[in-house]
Amino acid sequence: MTERLYWLDPYLQQFTATVVSLTEHNGQPAVILDRTAFYPTGGGQPHDRGTLNGIPVVEVIERESDGAILHVLARPLEAREVEGRIDWERRFDHMQQHTGQHILSQAFLRITGAQTVSFHLGEEVVTIDLDQVGFPPTAVEAVEELANRVVLENREVWARFVEAEEAEGLSLRRPPKVEGRIRIVEVADFDRSACGGTHVRRTGEVGPIKIVKLERRGNETRVSFLCGWRALRDYRRKHRLLLESAGSLSVGEAMLPEAIRALQADLKEARKALMALQELYLDLVLPYLEQRVQPASFGEVLTYVWPQLPSGLLPRLARRLSEGRPRLVLLAAGGADGLLIVACGPGVPVDAREVLRRILVRLGLEGGGGRPDYAQAPVSRVDLQALQRALSEAIG
Ligand SMILES: [Zn+2]
C-alpha cells in the first residue's frame, strides 16, 4: 500500500519518493511509488494532476486489490528516485469544494433534516444529492446563510484516524464505507464525518458557498453549488452578463426584468399588427394574382416571383391560391431568406416534390422537400431572372 502524504499534510505540493514498480494502465505507462502526495480519484473527488520528474501525471488511480496508487504518465519514466509536484491550483480548488460540501451537507441536515446521499465534484459544478424533495426557497436561503456563517467563523478543520468501535460512538453524519481504521474529518463543533478526501485547515479558506440550482430527481434533490474561487468566477461572469443585458436595454440592473416584460409585450403587439397587415396584403394581392392565372391541359397554372417577401407570407399565399382548384402554383421570393414553393390543387396530375426537384436542378441547387401536394426549398440569393426562367420552363 502506498503511503498517502496528502492525508498527513494536504498542503504538501512537492515530495520525493522511490519507485516501487513500473506498470501500465490502458496501454499508458504508469508508476507506483512508496509514498505520494497525489490524490487518486475517489469519494466524489477527482484525482490530482502534476508531474513526476517533469513528466505530466494525467490520471491517478487507487488499485482496489492492494491499495497501491497508480500514477498514469504522459510518457515513460526512467528513474528510481522521483520528485513529484502537484498542480496546486487544481488541488486547492478541490479542497475548497470538498470542505464546502461537508459544511453545506451539515447545514442541510440541521435546517431541513435532509441527509446527503452522494457527492460529485465536477470540472464546472459540484453537486450533492439529498434524500428529500420540495425544499421551500426560504429553507434553501437559511441553509446557505448557515453554511456561510460557519465559513466566516473560520472554524478549524482536522482529520484523524479512529478504530471502527470508536467511530460508532462518534455520531458521524456519514457512516464509514470502509472497514478497520477510519478517517474522520471534523469541522469544529459543527460536522463530523468519515472521509478520505483532502480538506482545508480552516473554514475561512473555503470562501463563499453559493447554491446555484436545485433539481428534483425522483425521491431525491440534486443541489448544485460552488465554493471559493469558483463562486467568485461565477459571480463575475453573471455580473458581466447582467451589466451587458441592462446596457443593451439602456436600463439599470434592477429594472431589467421590467424592461424585458415591456419588450415582450411590445413584440406581441408588433406580431399582431404584422399579422393584420399581412392579411390586408393577401386580400389586395390575391385578385391581382388571379388575373395572371394561365389555362393548362389539366386546369390552371400560376407562376410569380417577388424580389423579396417576409417569411411566412409565401406559404399562406400558395395555400390560398391552390385550395380546392385544379391549379399548379409556383411561387418564389428572392432575398437572403428566399423561398420557392410548388403547390398542387386537387386534380393536378403531378407530384409537387418532383416539380420542385426539376426547378432546383435547373438552378443548380438542391435540398427542400414536402408532400405530393406541397413542397418548398430555400433559394437564398438566387438570381431573380434565372428563377423566373426556371419556373416558366418547368410548366412549359
Ligand atoms: Zn471530505
Side-chain angles (χ1 to χ4, degrees), residues 45 98-99 101-102 119 185 193-199:
Q45 182 180 331
H98 199 149
T99 313
Q101 178 264 312
H102 284 238
F119 159 55
V185 174
S193 47
C195 183
T198 55
H199 310 82

Side-chain angles (χ1 to χ4, degrees), residues 208-226:
I209 300 178
K210 182 78 193 87
I211 295 170
V212 289
K213 193 161 68 174
L214 264 76
E215 294 163 273
R216 191 184 166 148
R217 299 186 147 227
N219 292 324
E220 294 178 358
T221 301
R222 176 156 296 179
V223 179
S224 302
F225 65 98
L226 302 164

Side-chain angles (χ1 to χ4, degrees), residues 13-30:
Q13 299 176 37
Q14 282 181 47
F15 65 101
T16 54
T18 304
V19 173
V20 172
S21 76
L22 296 168
T23 174
E24 272 200 348
H25 179 76
N26 292 338
Q28 272 186 288

